[in-house]
Amino acid sequence: LAEAFEKTGQPDSTLFYLRSALPVAEYLNAPDLFQRTYTALAKYYQSVKNNDSAVKYQSLIINMRVCKEEFNV
């Protein structure tokens, strides 16, 4: 849903649905969903020029990749 709202220029709804995906990813224990959501959040925050939040989510993506490589998950 977040992608649909992004394409129609509704940033508040985009952010709402992106944030809603995080508890779902946690509940499902789905690293791939976390990574996709973090990527989308970083992209969203870059587009609205909120660099601190963009860097936060980019860091989370990097940490996930490092852990995946270290533990071959």
Side-chain angles (χ1 to χ4, degrees):
L1 286 173
E3 279 184 30
F5 285 111
E6 179 185 10
K7 289 179 182 178
T8 59
Q10 299 178 50
D12 292 340
S13 296
T14 301
L15 184 57
F16 173 80
Y17 284 104
L18 286 172
R19 286 184 177 164
S20 297
L22 292 173
V24 173
E26 185 173 350
Y27 176 78
L28 296 174
N29 193 23
D32 291 343
L33 182 54
F34 272 115
Q35 187 159 352
R36 288 194 312 262
T37 304
Y38 291 159
T39 301
L41 281 163
K43 180 181 170 187
Y44 168 82
Y45 283 118
Q46 283 175 322
S47 73
V48 297
K49 309 291 189 247
N50 186 333
N51 295 327
D52 290 343
S53 293
V55 168
K56 170 187 172 181
Y57 287 104
Q58 289 170 339
S59 296
L60 289 169
I61 295 164
I62 292 167
N63 288 339
M64 286 188 71
R65 288 181 182 164
V66 167
C67 287
K68 185 175 182 180
E69 290 173 5
E70 286 181 7
F71 298 106
N72 292 321
V73 176

